[in-house]
Amino acid sequence: MEKFSKWRDSGTGIQPFLQPVPARTQQSAVASVFGIIKSYAVGPVASVVRLAALAAIAALDVVTAALGTLLVVPQVRRGYSRLTRSALARLALFIMGFHTIDAKTVSLRKGRRSTTNRQSAESGDVIVANHVSYIDILWLVARYNPVFVELDNASTRVRPVSMWTALRAPARATPALLPASEAQSLGSVVRDARVKRMGPVVVFPENATTNGRALLQLLPVFEDAANLDEKAKVYVMALKYPAQAFSPVYSLGNQFVHLFGVCAQIYNSLVVRMLDPEDCPRMKDAPALCDEGAEPVDIDDVVADRLMQLSRLRMTKLTAMDKRDFLAFYHKRAKGYRPTI
C-alpha cells in the first residue's frame, strides 16, 4: 500500500509490518463452496468452542500457579511449574489447531542431516529467536518454560516479564526505553535463572514482531560485556507459520480478533528450526571474555548471520523503533477512518 511505503525497506523492497494477506488463486466450484461453509459456518462455531476451551485453560493456569506458591522447596516448585505450564501450553496449541509441530535441529554444515532431537537448552542458557506472533510464546513455554525478557532499545538492558505479559506484548508498541529501576543486564538475569533453575532465557533481538517476510535489524545484545556470561550457551532458532488462508502471524491489529481467526481454521502449521549447538556462537569467544591470544568473535554478527541462514529471510534496515512509528501512524489512520455510505 502506497500510504505505508515509508516503511518499505529500501534495500529489499519488503514491507515487514503489514499483516500477510493470502494470495488469490483460481478455485473450483466445489472448493469455493467449501470455503464459504468454512468461513461463515464451521469456522466461527469452531472458534467459539475453542476460545471457551482456551479460557478454561487460562483459568486452570492461574489456579495451578497459585497452588505452586504453596510448595516450599524451590526445586519441587520449579519442576511443578514446568510440568503444569508446559502441559497447558501444549494443550492450548493443540486446541488452536497446531496438532503437530515441525520442530527440527539443523546444521548449516554440509553433509549433516536434520534431526528431531530435543535441543538441550537448560537453565541459564540464552535462546535467540525471531518473533512473528504471540503463538511463539506458547511454543517456547511448551518446550522450555523459559524466562522472557523485554529489551531496552538504547542500552540493551533487559527486564524479565511473565508469560502473560510476553503473550500480550505483540499487541502494543515496543517501549522505547525501560524504566531505569527495572532494567538489568542480561548477564545478571541469566545467572539468576541458573541459580534458581528458572529455565533458559529467551531474547527476541528484533524487539518487535514482523509479518514473517523479513527480519528487522537486531539489537546488539551481546556488545555490552555486562550482558555476557561465560557459562551460558547461546541457542539460535527460527519460527515460521506456513499458511494458505488466514495466517497465525501477528504483526498488528486487534489481538482477540486475530485469535478468533486462528481458532476458526481447521488446522494451523508451525515450523521451528533450531540450530545445531555446534554451529551456535559461544559467549566465551566474545572480545570481553576470550582468552588472551585467541581471536575474538562478534557474537551479534554471528547471531544475525545464523538467524538469516536458519530462517531463510533477508534482513532489512528497519528497526523496532520504525515499527513503533508505523503503529502510531496506522492507529491514527484507523481512528480517523469513517466508512463511506
Side-chain angles (χ1 to χ4, degrees), residues 85-225:
R85 180 154 276 182
S86 295
L88 290 174
R90 188 64 191 89
L91 180 58
L93 287 170
F94 185 84
I95 289 172
M96 292 167 67
F98 296 92
H99 303 145
T100 58
I101 295 174
D102 181 10
K104 292 180 180 178
T105 299
V106 301
S107 175
L108 300 179
R109 303 179 188 183
K110 292 182 179 180
R112 289 197 175 189
R113 294 183 179 181
S114 301
T115 68
T116 55
N117 292 337
R118 189 176 280 270
Q119 201 169 9
S120 57
E122 299 176 349
S123 294
D125 290 335
V126 177
I127 296 175
V128 180
N130 65 319
H131 198 14
V132 288
S133 178
Y134 52 88
I135 301 167
D136 303 346
I137 306 299
L138 284 178
W139 183 83
L140 287 162
V141 170
R143 189 71 179 254
Y144 302 105
N145 194 22
V147 176
F148 295 101
V149 295
E150 285 184 329
L151 278 165
D152 186 294
N153 283 279
S155 67
T156 68
R157 293 290 169 123
V158 303
R159 172 175 60 182
V161 297
S162 68
M163 178 193 72
W164 291 106
T165 300
L167 282 169
R168 289 290 295 150
R172 58 182 177 80
T174 301
L177 300 172
L178 297 178
S181 59
E182 299 178 13
Q184 309 174 41
S185 68
L186 178 61
S188 64
V189 175
V190 164
R191 287 186 288 274
D192 193 46
R194 183 184 304 116
V195 171
K196 297 180 180 178
R197 306 297 298 170
M198 298 167 64
V201 179
V202 173
V203 178
F204 298 119
E206 293 173 285
N207 213 21
T209 55
T210 68
N211 57 19
R213 292 176 178 167
L215 297 171
L216 302 182
Q217 284 287 312
L218 309 187
L219 288 174
V221 178
F222 303 104
E223 186 177 68
D224 186 351

Side-chain angles (χ1 to χ4, degrees), residues 135-327:
I135 301 167
D136 303 346
I137 306 299
L138 284 178
W139 183 83
L140 287 162
V141 170
R143 189 71 179 254
Y144 302 105
N145 194 22
V147 176
F148 295 101
V149 295
E150 285 184 329
L151 278 165
D152 186 294
N153 283 279
S155 67
T156 68
R157 293 290 169 123
V158 303
R159 172 175 60 182
V161 297
S162 68
M163 178 193 72
W164 291 106
T165 300
L167 282 169
R168 289 290 295 150
R172 58 182 177 80
T174 301
L177 300 172
L178 297 178
S181 59
E182 299 178 13
Q184 309 174 41
S185 68
L186 178 61
S188 64
V189 175
V190 164
R191 287 186 288 274
D192 193 46
R194 183 184 304 116
V195 171
K196 297 180 180 178
R197 306 297 298 170
M198 298 167 64
V201 179
V202 173
V203 178
F204 298 119
E206 293 173 285
N207 213 21
T209 55
T210 68
N211 57 19
R213 292 176 178 167
L215 297 171
L216 302 182
Q217 284 287 312
L218 309 187
L219 288 174
V221 178
F222 303 104
E223 186 177 68
D224 186 351
N227 285 342
L228 302 174
D229 182 270
E230 190 172 11
K231 295 180 181 179
K233 296 178 181 178
V234 179
Y235 292 87
V236 182
M237 64 178 60
L239 300 96
K240 287 189 174 184
Y241 296 85
Q244 294 182 344
F246 189 88
S247 176
V249 165
Y250 176 75
S251 181
L252 57 84
N254 186 292
Q255 192 174 21
F256 181 80
V257 172
H258 183 267
L259 179 59
F260 186 94
V262 171
C263 292
Q265 304 304 302
I266 296 175
Y267 66 90
N268 292 292
S269 299
L270 169 58
V271 174
V272 184
R273 291 295 175 260
M274 301 171 285
L275 187 62
D276 189 312
E278 293 187 16
D279 295 333
C280 293
R282 302 183 304 176
M283 281 205 195
K284 63 182 181 180
D285 292 333
L289 297 178
C290 69
D291 297 330
E292 188 176 349
E295 186 172 349
V297 174
D298 189 319
I299 306 298
D300 293 298
D301 282 351
V302 176
V303 165
D305 178 70
R306 299 290 191 270
L307 193 54
M308 282 190 289
Q309 292 186 65
L310 197 60
S311 64
R312 297 183 179 180
L313 297 174
R314 289 183 287 178
M315 185 172 291
T316 66
K317 294 181 181 179
L318 300 172
T319 68
M321 290 297 94
D322 292 309
K323 171 86 182 276
R324 183 181 172 88
D325 294 340
F326 168 80
L327 288 177

